[in-house]
Amino acid sequence: MVSPLKTRSGTASATDATQHNTEAMSNTVTDLRPKPTLKAPAIDPTRPGRSADELADAPAKINVADVDFYYGAKQALFGIDLVVPERCVTAFIGPSGCGKSTLLRCMNRMNDMIDESSVKGSITLDGQDIYGPRVDVVELRKRVGMVFQKSNPFPKSIFDNIAYGPRVAGERNKARLYEITERCLRHSALWEEVKDRLDDSALALSGGQQQRLCIARALATEPQVLLMDEPASALDPASTSRIEDLIFELKDQYTIVIVTHNMQQAARVSDQTAFFFEGKLIEAGTTTDVFTNPTKKQTEDYITGRFG
Amino acid sequence: MSRNADIHSLEIKRSYLGSSLFGWLCAAATYICIAVLVGLLVTVLVNGVPWLSWTLLTSFPSRDPAKAGVLPALAGSLWLIGITALVSIPTGVGAAVYLEEYANSSWWRKLVQLNISNLAGVPSIVYGILGLGLFVRAMSLERSVIAGALTLTLVVLPIVILSTQEALRAVPSTIRQASYALGATRWQTVWLQVLPAALPGVMTGVILAIARALGEAAPLVAVGAVAFVAFVPQSLGDEFSALPLQIFNWAERPQEEFHGLASAAIVVLLAVLILLNTGAVLVRAKYGRRIKW
Ligand SMILES: Nc1ncnc2c1ncn2[C@@H]1O[C@H](COP(=O)(O)OP(=O)(O)OP(=O)(O)O)[C@@H](O)[C@H]1O
Ligand SMILES: [Mg+2]
């Protein structure tokens, strides 16, 4: 009695989403693509991701091999194997609590700060083990920047927030710092809103503005890899699409890993998608494959909205 | 149905009565405290204000009440709190930063923490005796300003450490994470983010500690400070007096006039305290402006 109902509503919403998508596309895109057959999030043809061949050819920027992670006695990640190719966007998707943020934090060793946590397995950046005994964590974090799930601006002025990264890296020249601030704020679509009040407290910004500020702050250190934990969760459609444009611009220079709960977003911006469930990596592959031709039932159920 | 409704209305009324009664009791407690405080202040002011004069501030103690003043005691107190602040703030804040930001949680850290918490509750006369043995005798500093200030440092150090720790703990850990994630070292994170964010709280603790040092008499008596000092301390090695000692000395004399002088000296002591607090409020206002969580 219950399960057929559930399935039906699930299918219905998936179809809705498909229709919505098709409409949205026929409005913006002139050429008529073959209608998406099965999956809710369609792949936008105007922004082609890297092809499967390109992905395979790209050198591995980060290589995660057989990683287990424990919060005390509680295991949060189980034998994760994943390659993050250089200059590509990798999306992590999966239901809440499945370990996406945990894996992301392993990649710049932010988990070191959690008492009694432990990592097994190896994660390499450009072939170097980041958990090796002689690794300089400060240097690692300069190369692997992070935007947190909850925005966390410093209780300082907007300018001081952005300039902090370059400053701790040794930049003293005020003019240069202003230049960086302007560039990063423009990149994160915040410049127009705050250009007249760079000296105001960052805590006086709205939630979405704070999120964009945190993105700008992470860009200011010019990392090689950018880890973004739901960078658009508090943004309106306009800022979201600006951030997605930014990710597109950045991926020519940077390697980007993005966690998102928004399937459309994952489909729009990423080249590679990894689906997690209960601490395990269920499936990873080119975004086109994962969304149009998932190999696992769980993946298919999740991206079509049947659970999670 | 109607019975149910009755019970409900009864319940709401009872808890309302209880809570308003509690409110009244709390208000009564507040007003009793204020009344006592106002009573004290008024008595002190009524007795002391007639004796407040320029002579009081610029003269030495004397047998003649009309010529007696608090100059050496006031100068001694300022010396004492100045040096106590200079020694206890860096040491106390440093210790707190170490315990909160650097030390790993271990049985050793817990032991140190427990000891500091206990030390904050030790009566000040005990520190006085310690100061007598350690600074006056063992280090042969004699009855000097420095011996008195170091003894007061012992008294206030646990207060400075505990209140600074409290302030550091109140800084959200997301601030530290954001700083580390941008490639800051631990030193940069503490110095550029955590301490500035904790500054208002640290200031509150420091002012409490200094006020405590200003009001202490017992440890100073133990290290041998005297009320009758005929000169203003010029250096760390000089003998000294302090305002609380002067007040005590005048208050225990039989003549009425000296009781008035004691009240006037209390007014001076309160004035110094209020000045210190104003300073703290200004610093908080300047640095705390941007910090609202
Ligand atoms: N600091 C921590 N201490 C203990 N357990 C934690 C901690 N952080 C996360 N966990 C647990 O680890 C698991 C994975 O958490 P994680 O934050 O990685 O999930 P997530 O996939 O990012 O979820 P969401 O999409 O809701 O952000 C969860 O079960 C969570 O309860
Ligand atoms: Mg998360």
Side-chain angles (χ1 to χ4, degrees):
Chain A
M1 196 53 197
V2 176
S3 57
L5 254 175
K6 220 176 173 181
T7 324
R8 212 189 299 156
S9 71
T11 329
S13 71
T15 329
D16 280 356
T18 317
Q19 278 171 356
H20 174 79
N21 241 338
T22 329
E23 272 167 28
M25 255 176 326
S26 53
N27 283 341
T28 50
V29 186
T30 38
D31 71 333
L32 274 172
R33 298 174 340 106
K35 280 199 168 88
T37 45
L38 163 71
K39 305 303 165 238
I43 311 290
D44 188 336
T46 56
R47 280 177 169 177
R50 307 257 195 263
S51 71
D53 291 342
E54 276 178 302
L55 269 185
D57 287 346
K61 186 73 182 173
I62 296 180
N63 195 344
V64 181
D66 199 20
V67 164
D68 293 335
F69 188 87
Y70 300 83
Y71 289 110
K74 182 176 176 286
Q75 188 166 2
L77 294 178
F78 299 82
I80 307 287
D81 283 299
L82 180 70
V83 174
V84 176
E86 190 165 30
R87 287 174 204 175
C88 294
V89 179
T90 301
F92 287 2
I93 59 172
S96 186
C98 67
K100 305 178 295 292
S101 301
T102 305
L103 181 59
L104 207 64
R105 284 197 302 264
C106 285
M107 291 175 166
N108 65 347
R109 291 186 56 173
M110 285 305 287
N111 280 332
D112 288 15
M113 261 163 270
I114 298 169
D115 280 344
E116 301 184 359
S117 65
S118 60
V119 195
K120 294 214 183 84
S122 94
I123 300 180
T124 58
L125 175 72
D126 294 326
Q128 278 178 285
D129 187 356
I130 64 169
Y131 282 92
R134 294 182 40 77
V135 167
D136 179 0
V137 185
V138 171
E139 191 52 41
L140 170 71
R141 292 189 187 130
K142 277 182 189 149
R143 287 193 208 167
V144 185
M146 180 163 208
V147 178
F148 290 82
Q149 185 162 12
K150 290 180 214 139
S151 52
N152 50 0
F154 299 125
K156 293 176 182 288
S157 72
I158 294 170
F159 171 74
D160 285 338
N161 262 274
I162 314 263
Y164 184 71
R167 269 184 183 146
V168 297
E171 179 65 64
R172 287 275 165 278
N173 184 338
K174 195 101 177 173
R176 180 91 191 90
L177 288 172
Y178 264 105
E179 208 176 292
I180 295 174
T181 305
E182 175 170 351
R183 177 167 50 78
C184 295
L185 285 172
R186 278 190 194 282
H187 259 329
S188 65
L190 190 59
W191 176 251
E192 291 303 323
E193 284 153 79
V194 302
K195 62 181 174 193
D196 300 321
R197 47 181 184 134
L198 291 179
D199 288 330
D200 285 6
S201 169
L203 295 173
L205 295 174
S206 78
Q209 289 172 330
Q210 291 189 5
Q211 206 162 32
R212 279 175 282 158
L213 180 78
C214 290
I215 294 172
R217 188 174 67 182
L219 292 176
T221 55
E222 298 188 3
Q224 301 169 2
V225 181
L226 194 55
L227 309 174
M228 303 172 113
D229 203 341
E230 294 187 49
S233 61
L235 301 186
D236 59 12
S239 318
T240 303
S241 106
R242 184 70 192 84
I243 294 302
E244 289 174 5
D245 289 345
L246 169 68
I247 293 174
F248 254 78
E249 282 167 37
L250 291 179
K251 81 172 176 184
D252 288 336
Q253 292 173 45
Y254 299 77
T255 305
I256 297 170
V257 182
I258 175 172
V259 173
T260 177
H261 282 287
N262 182 337
M263 293 306 107
Q264 320 287 335
Q265 187 171 58
R268 279 193 301 262
V269 301
S270 70
D271 306 310
Q272 175 183 247
T273 299
F275 171 65
F276 293 84
F277 186 66
E278 291 180 345
K280 300 189 185 72
L281 176 65
I282 303 296
E283 181 166 358
T286 61
T287 301
T288 327
D289 284 350
V290 172
F291 278 93
T292 56
N293 204 4
T295 56
K296 300 271 169 45
K297 181 85 173 62
Q298 283 157 308
T299 319
E300 184 179 338
D301 286 351
Y302 184 73
I303 57 184
T304 53
R306 285 201 190 96
F307 77 86
Chain B
M1 264 309 244
S2 69
R3 253 192 73 194
N4 262 343
D6 273 358
I7 287 170
H8 262 101
S9 72
L10 196 65
E11 271 178 6
I12 289 164
K13 198 150 189 201
R14 254 173 47 200
S15 75
Y16 175 72
L17 272 178
S19 95
S20 70
L21 190 66
F22 183 67
W24 279 108
L25 282 176
C26 291
T30 312
Y31 288 117
I32 290 173
C33 290
I34 291 181
V36 170
L37 204 64
V38 169
L40 264 171
L41 266 180
V42 167
T43 325
V44 167
L45 287 176
V46 166
N47 292 334
V49 167
W51 288 92
L52 278 180
S53 65
W54 194 240
T55 327
L56 182 81
L57 289 180
T58 55
S59 307
F60 292 88
S62 154
R63 260 165 248 249
D64 177 359
K67 288 190 196 156
V70 294
L71 180 62
L74 179 60
S77 274
L78 293 179
W79 267 100
L80 285 175
I81 59 170
I83 295 164
T84 304
L86 273 184
V87 182
S88 67
I89 295 173
T91 335
V93 172
V97 167
Y98 173 73
L99 287 173
E100 282 305 310
E101 307 290 327
Y102 282 83
N104 298 322
S105 58
S106 61
W107 64 269
W108 169 245
R109 206 206 104 140
K110 284 189 192 116
L111 188 74
V112 171
Q113 186 70 58
L114 185 72
N115 273 299
I116 293 173
S117 311
N118 285 335
L119 284 177
V122 169
S124 55
I125 184 70
V126 177
Y127 290 108
I129 302 299
L130 177 65
L132 179 68
L134 187 63
F135 303 126
V136 178
R137 304 234 168 98
M139 293 168 67
S140 24
L141 295 172
E142 306 302 329
R143 313 159 148 196
S144 58
V145 172
I146 184 78
L150 289 178
T151 308
L152 287 179
T153 302
L154 292 181
V155 177
V156 302
L157 206 49
I159 306 174
V160 176
I161 296 176
L162 289 177
S163 57
T164 305
Q165 278 188 293
E166 208 62 52
L168 292 174
R169 262 182 240 142
V171 177
S173 65
T174 55
I175 299 297
R176 296 178 181 85
Q177 285 173 15
S179 173
Y180 287 127
L182 289 168
T185 61
R186 195 182 287 240
W187 151 253
Q188 288 166 330
T189 302
V190 170
W191 186 247
L192 299 174
Q193 297 294 347
V194 180
L195 271 181
L199 191 71
V202 174
M203 282 303 295
T204 310
V206 164
I207 286 300
L208 273 179
I210 299 304
R212 171 95 189 264
L214 191 62
E216 281 293 347
L220 296 180
V221 172
V223 296
V226 282
F228 261 109
V229 175
F231 54 86
V232 171
Q234 303 291 329
S235 73
L236 293 180
D238 286 349
E239 277 193 16
F240 68 99
S241 180
L243 278 172
L245 296 175
Q246 186 67 68
I247 293 166
F248 180 68
N249 177 285
W250 278 337
E252 68 175 356
R253 294 196 186 196
Q255 299 96 317
E256 270 304 314
E257 291 92 336
F258 281 111
H259 297 175
L261 274 174
S263 295
I266 292 175
V267 175
V268 174
L269 186 70
L270 290 179
V272 174
L273 263 182
I274 289 170
L275 278 180
L276 280 176
N277 273 318
T278 318
V281 169
L282 289 181
V283 171
R284 287 188 64 141
K286 185 163 187 300
Y287 290 97
R289 204 168 12 122
R290 287 194 171 134
I291 300 166
K292 35 181 157 56
W293 307 118

